[in-house]
Amino acid sequence: MTATGEELVAARGGPWWWDRRRSAVLDVGLAVVSALECGLEGVPFAREAGVPAAVGVVFGVLAGSVLLVRRRWPIAVVLVAIAVTPAAMGFLMGVVGLYSLAASEVPRRIIASLAGMQSVGVLIVMFVRMRQNLARGELDVGDWIVPFASITMAIGVTAPPLLLGLYVGARRRLMESLRERADSLERELQLLAERAEERAEWARGEERTRIAREMHDVVAHRVSLMVVHAAALQAVARKDPEKAVRNAALVGDMGRQALTELREMLGVLRSGGGGERRRERASVPLAAVGVAAAAAASRAVEEGEGPCLSEIEELVGQSAAAGMVVDLSVEGESRSCAREVESTAYRVVQEALTNVHKHAAGAKAYVRLAYRVSEIAMQVENEPPPDAGAGASAGLPSGGNGLVGMKERVSALGGVFVSGPTDAGGFRVSAVIPAS
């Protein structure tokens, strides 16, 4: 795990204004060297000024020690260096101070002004001292060498530290901006990872609900009919053996159909992903969970294996065979629609008939299917049951998710779903689904 720029800055520890201990050690070392240099140069300065040598040494040590604060107050260091330039001392202090000033966050106009002042100061002092040496006869050179040497010295003392400081400061600012950008990108990646985790969790929940709805639609209806037929078989086994045989055959057929549909769905779930899933079994991205589940839940419908509206008559016939009185009416010209639309319409009718078996056994049901210009409408309505406890006597449990699942299916296709009791004491389920 890598540390961010903010953590690195927080991890630094140095005394006072230093970020690192080695920076403090470096500045202390430079200040000591500068103090020694200025102290030694203070001896000839004291002699020329006519003051005791100790005064010149103390003055030089104090002036040279200012280099200790070069990171905190670089302007003060450069001003002190300019001030002691006429005393011919502070060479190291002037070079290091100007470098520190150029590398700092001080405005460029101030850097340029102080660098110009120091350059002019060195130029004037150098010019005057060389002229004095020529007048004393200590130098035997041409007059042209004085301005040349003065200008060269002034440029040589100020230009290199100034340019180096500007380069180091620009590089430092660039590194800080890159570090801040890296920190920002890392925070964004963390947010994206959290959002991806939330989306994956949401997708897993959605697909679990979707798969549960598919399983409910596949199993609940046929199992409910099987229970109804089994109850009828138990009731007529001794009185009407032929009817008992027919009911037993129906139970077997419905059980096989339920197993076939269940096997198809489980096969889709098991084979979803194929070789690609086997290759990446060790590390499956969270975001792929929802996609895989969605493909598994809907592949049977997309490949044409799901139910369609042409099977509505067979569905109604199964309920009729279970003893329900069902009236089917179809309005409009029958036509093919999108597979998902037909599957949803079929499941709505199937679930509504299953609910009639569960909660209104013996009641007459009316199934109406209407093909309209741009939509398909269906309605399943049942009369009140002749016996209020008929549904309970069949022993059919109810999970309470059938109506919720129907509404979710219809709403997902942009349709409208309405359900509720009728004034006559029955129950009505209505849905309208766009045909395209």
Side-chain angles (χ1 to χ4, degrees):
M1 183 176 181
T2 59
T4 63
E6 296 176 355
E7 293 171 346
L8 291 175
V9 172
R12 298 172 182 172
W16 296 340
W17 55 83
W18 288 285
D19 293 335
R20 303 181 182 89
R21 295 185 180 276
R22 64 181 182 181
S23 301
V25 173
L26 175 62
D27 287 355
V28 170
L30 289 174
V32 171
V33 174
S34 177
L36 292 175
E37 177 203 352
C38 293
L40 294 175
E41 293 171 344
V43 176
F45 167 70
R47 186 168 51 249
E48 293 177 2
V51 296
V55 175
V57 172
V58 172
F59 175 76
V61 170
L62 292 177
S65 301
V66 177
L67 201 58
L68 186 67
V69 297
R70 70 182 186 91
R71 298 178 190 268
R72 186 70 178 272
W73 296 295
I75 296 178
V77 175
V78 175
L79 289 175
V80 173
I82 294 173
V84 300
T85 298
M89 64 173 62
F91 174 79
L92 178 62
M93 180 172 56
V95 172
V96 176
L98 189 58
Y99 161 80
S100 302
L101 178 67
S104 66
E105 300 296 332
V106 177
R108 294 294 179 86
R109 62 180 183 275
I110 297 178
I111 296 175
S113 300
L114 293 178
M117 291 172 60
Q118 185 169 351
S119 178
V120 171
V122 173
L123 175 65
I124 293 174
V125 171
M126 189 68 182
F127 184 83
V128 170
R129 286 188 173 274
M130 290 190 69
R131 293 291 296 179
Q132 290 176 350
N133 291 336
L134 284 175
R136 297 191 191 110
E138 297 177 1
L139 292 176
D140 187 13
V141 294
D143 293 340
W144 63 271
I145 198 65
V146 176
F148 176 77
S150 301
I151 295 173
T152 303
M153 186 64 177
I155 296 176
V157 170
T158 57
L162 178 65
L163 296 177
L164 180 61
L166 291 175
Y167 166 75
V168 171
R171 184 175 179 274
R172 185 181 301 158
R173 286 187 290 272
L174 176 61
M175 294 301 294
E176 290 178 356
S177 66
L178 292 177
R179 187 180 295 113
E180 291 176 358
R181 185 175 299 177
D183 294 341
S184 173
L185 290 176
E186 185 171 353
R187 286 191 294 268
E188 291 180 3
L189 288 176
Q190 290 176 352
L191 290 175
L192 289 176
E194 293 175 359
R195 292 177 182 175
E197 180 70 22
E198 292 175 358
R199 287 196 297 269
E201 186 63 30
W202 175 84
R204 284 194 291 266
E206 288 292 316
E207 295 315 316
R208 280 195 295 267
T209 303
R210 184 174 181 178
I211 293 173
R213 187 169 60 240
E214 292 286 342
M215 299 289 287
H216 176 273
D217 292 341
V218 167
V219 177
H221 177 73
R222 299 195 186 281
V223 173
S224 298
L225 292 182
M226 289 170 62
V227 172
V228 172
H229 281 293
L233 177 62
Q234 184 180 5
V236 302
R238 296 180 180 179
K239 298 179 181 180
D240 192 348
E242 294 182 1
K243 188 175 182 180
V245 171
R246 289 197 301 271
N247 286 341
L250 286 174
V251 170
D253 291 340
M254 291 178 185
R256 284 187 289 272
Q257 291 174 3
L259 287 175
T260 300
E261 293 185 6
L262 185 60
R263 189 180 297 113
E264 290 175 355
M265 177 163 291
L266 293 178
V268 170
L269 289 173
R270 185 177 292 110
S271 63
E276 199 175 300
R277 181 184 59 120
R278 289 191 295 271
R279 288 193 301 269
E280 299 179 359
R281 186 177 298 170
S283 58
V284 179
L286 291 175
V289 175
V291 177
S298 61
R299 189 161 317 160
V301 174
E302 293 175 352
E303 293 178 357
E305 299 176 0
C308 56
L309 289 176
S310 60
E311 302 173 8
I312 289 290
E313 293 185 5
E314 180 182 355
L315 177 66
V316 172
Q318 292 174 355
S319 294
M324 180 188 297
V325 179
V326 189
D327 180 18
L328 172 64
S329 63
V330 179
E331 301 176 5
E333 183 178 356
S334 177
R335 65 180 187 277
S336 298
C337 301
R339 173 61 63 176
E340 193 172 7
V341 173
E342 293 200 13
S343 175
T344 300
Y346 180 94
R347 295 301 188 191
V348 169
V349 176
Q350 182 187 60
E351 179 63 25
L353 291 177
T354 301
N355 287 341
V356 175
H357 282 290
K358 289 181 178 180
H359 308 294
K364 183 177 182 180
Y366 302 89
V367 178
R368 297 181 177 85
L369 180 65
Y371 291 90
R372 299 173 183 171
V373 176
S374 58
E375 60 189 17
I376 295 177
M378 66 225 65
Q379 177 178 292
V380 178
E381 180 179 349
N382 63 274
E383 297 177 351
D387 182 4
S393 65
L396 293 171
S398 176
N401 297 318
L403 295 177
V404 176
M406 285 190 284
K407 186 173 183 179
E408 289 176 351
R409 280 180 172 275
V410 174
S411 299
L413 297 178
V416 178
F417 178 85
V418 178
S419 63
T422 62
D423 296 337
F427 200 83
R428 180 187 299 119
V429 173
S430 302
V432 179
I433 306 175
S436 56

